[in-house]
């Protein structure tokens, strides 16, 4: 029998968010690989599930990954969970999924709660395009390189941060990105859930005086999009010439270029025929 891996999303706070399909996956598997077995054991006990547990986290993922794959190749069905939310998203499970793909082991997923998407939806920030940046590195050099790389990122950016590091991260973001709109989302789906809509500069001031509490998701506005310089007559003529090369008549090419550049068709046409 072919073994397999199933990723199971677990609640990020409220246990009522655990889906019937996720419960079924836990009840039917042979083994559960968990980031922190103590956290997962509390979840299992809540739902009356008894299954073997094995730890799989950042510092043992190389050794345990090979062991888990060997068990799946022998026919076992293994479920992978994170402490909360979707495994493999800013999580060592990413490596196990890659290893399974390399070895031809089937990988399935029971989707569940995600702090990234929950916070973005609650923030009111532009969500048509966004980028997930995860945790900033504790290494000063890596942190600086990461922040420099996103200085001009126009999409909404999402970060995770622990409460004790939040003031430093806010200061670094303000220093590198300049003042931006910000939504601070904490304790998502829990009793004290809070979404603070503010700016980076205001948040820096706030948390100089106030001790942050709870795990945070930061939604940061993207860099302002620079408006393109208005097209010149020369730009419009060059555009029209391209249209002519594509087979349009001079008149039609001038008309199209005028519509796109807001320059008068007669001026574009005059230069085209003079050439």
């Amino acid at each position: 029998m072919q073994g397999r891996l199933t990723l199971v999303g677990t609640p990020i706070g409220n246990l009522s968010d655990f889906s019937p399909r996720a419960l079924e996956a836990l009840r039917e598997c042979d083994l559960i690989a968990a980031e922190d077995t103590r956290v997962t054991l509390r979840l299992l006990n809540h739902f009356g599930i008894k299954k073997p547990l094995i730890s799989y986290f950042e510092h043992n993922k190389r050794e345990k990954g090979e062991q888990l794959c060997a068990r799946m190749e022998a026919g076992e069905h293994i479920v992978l969970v994170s402490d909360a939310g979707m495994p493999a998203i800013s999580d060592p499970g990413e490596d196990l999924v890659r290893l399974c793909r390399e070895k031809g082991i089937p990988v399935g997923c029971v989707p569940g709660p995600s702090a990234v998407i929950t916070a973005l939806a609650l923030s009111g920030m532009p969500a048509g395009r966004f980028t997930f940046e995860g945790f900033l590195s504790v290494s000063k050099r890596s942190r600086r390189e990461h922040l420099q790389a996103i200085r001009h990122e126009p999409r909404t950016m999402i970060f995770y941060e622990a409460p004790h590091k939040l003031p430093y991260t806010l200061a670094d973001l303000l220093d590198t990105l300049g003042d931006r709109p910000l939504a601070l989302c904490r304790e998502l789906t829990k009793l004290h859930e809070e979404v603070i809509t503010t700016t980076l500069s205001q948040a820096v001031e706030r948390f100089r005086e106030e001790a942050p509490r709870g795990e945070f998701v930061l939604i940061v506005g993207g860099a302002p999009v620079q408006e393109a310089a208005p097209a010149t007559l020369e730009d419009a003529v060059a555009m029209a010439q391209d249209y002519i090369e594509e087979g349009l008549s001079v008149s039609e090419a001038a008309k199209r270029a005028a519509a796109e550049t807001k320059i008068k068709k007669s001026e574009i046409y005059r230069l085209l025929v003079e050439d």
Side-chain angles (χ1 to χ4, degrees), residues 113-133:
S114 166
V116 176
I117 300 303
T118 303
L120 181 61
L122 287 171
S123 71
M125 304 274 276
R129 299 180 67 202
F130 62 91
T131 171
F132 175 55
E133 301 294 332

Side-chain angles (χ1 to χ4, degrees), residues 21 60-62 68 98 105 120 125 141-142 144 147 163 181-182 186 194 199 207 210 212 220 226 231 246 267 275:
R21 187 165 163 245
N60 74 359
K61 63 185 181 182
R62 293 182 185 276
L68 291 171
R98 184 184 304 111
I105 297 169
L120 181 61
M125 304 274 276
R141 179 178 177 181
S142 297
R144 184 170 59 252
L147 290 172
L182 171 71
R186 61 180 289 273
E194 183 180 22
T199 64
F207 290 105
E210 178 184 327
V220 182
Q226 299 294 324
E246 292 174 9
E267 294 181 13
D275 289 348

Side-chain angles (χ1 to χ4, degrees), residues 151-242:
R151 283 181 60 197
H152 304 295
E153 172 57 65
R155 296 170 292 183
T156 298
M157 294 173 283
I158 307 175
F159 300 85
Y160 284 161
E161 195 50 276
H164 66 282
K165 293 194 296 181
L166 180 69
Y168 308 103
T169 292
L170 290 172
D172 286 346
L173 287 169
L174 178 61
D175 183 57
T176 307
L177 306 181
D179 208 7
R180 301 276 185 89
L182 171 71
L184 290 160
C185 306
R186 61 180 289 273
E187 298 295 277
L188 292 170
T189 77
K190 299 177 185 176
L191 180 62
H192 300 292
E193 175 180 287
E194 183 180 22
V195 178
I196 304 165
T197 52
T198 180
T199 64
L200 282 172
S201 61
Q202 291 171 349
V204 167
E205 290 298 321
R206 173 172 179 161
F207 290 105
R208 279 179 181 156
E209 306 297 331
E210 178 184 327
R213 300 176 68 180
E215 299 297 319
F216 283 83
V217 183
L218 283 60
I219 315 293
V220 182
V225 177
Q226 299 294 324
E227 290 188 11
T232 64
L233 178 57
E234 289 74 17
D235 294 331
V237 170
M239 186 181 296
Q241 288 171 333
D242 289 339

Side-chain angles (χ1 to χ4, degrees), residues 5-213:
L5 175 69
T6 301
L7 311 178
V8 173
T10 55
I12 57 177
N14 192 322
L15 294 181
S16 298
D17 292 335
F18 209 37
S19 74
R21 187 165 163 245
L23 286 171
E24 181 184 5
L26 293 183
R27 289 180 176 130
E28 292 185 350
C29 71
D30 298 303
L31 174 72
I32 299 170
E35 186 178 7
D36 186 329
T37 55
R38 295 166 299 180
V39 172
T40 302
L41 185 60
R42 289 196 291 270
L43 177 72
L44 297 180
N45 288 340
H46 180 84
F47 290 104
I49 299 172
K50 296 186 182 297
K51 286 289 175 179
L53 281 169
I54 187 171
S55 65
Y56 176 84
F57 57 96
E58 184 64 31
H59 300 296
N60 74 359
K61 63 185 181 182
R62 293 182 185 276
E63 174 191 356
K64 289 293 179 70
E66 291 291 346
Q67 292 176 11
L68 291 171
C69 284
R71 295 181 69 154
M72 286 182 280
E73 287 173 328
E76 291 192 26
H77 174 202
I78 294 177
V79 159
L80 175 68
V81 296
S82 182
D83 282 354
M86 279 299 301
I89 305 299
S90 194
D91 174 84
E94 175 185 351
D95 292 72
L96 183 57
V97 172
R98 184 184 304 111
L99 193 57
C100 286
R101 295 295 185 197
E102 291 172 356
K103 294 177 180 291
I105 297 169
V107 180
C109 182
V110 180
S114 166
V116 176
I117 300 303
T118 303
L120 181 61
L122 287 171
S123 71
M125 304 274 276
R129 299 180 67 202
F130 62 91
T131 171
F132 175 55
E133 301 294 332
F135 286 97
L136 288 172
S137 173
V138 295
S139 159
K140 289 185 178 180
R141 179 178 177 181
S142 297
R143 190 181 185 88
R144 184 170 59 252
E145 290 174 351
H146 187 163
L147 290 172
Q148 287 295 329
I150 60 172
R151 283 181 60 197
H152 304 295
E153 172 57 65
R155 296 170 292 183
T156 298
M157 294 173 283
I158 307 175
F159 300 85
Y160 284 161
E161 195 50 276
H164 66 282
K165 293 194 296 181
L166 180 69
Y168 308 103
T169 292
L170 290 172
D172 286 346
L173 287 169
L174 178 61
D175 183 57
T176 307
L177 306 181
D179 208 7
R180 301 276 185 89
L182 171 71
L184 290 160
C185 306
R186 61 180 289 273
E187 298 295 277
L188 292 170
T189 77
K190 299 177 185 176
L191 180 62
H192 300 292
E193 175 180 287
E194 183 180 22
V195 178
I196 304 165
T197 52
T198 180
T199 64
L200 282 172
S201 61
Q202 291 171 349
V204 167
E205 290 298 321
R206 173 172 179 161
F207 290 105
R208 279 179 181 156
E209 306 297 331
E210 178 184 327
R213 300 176 68 180

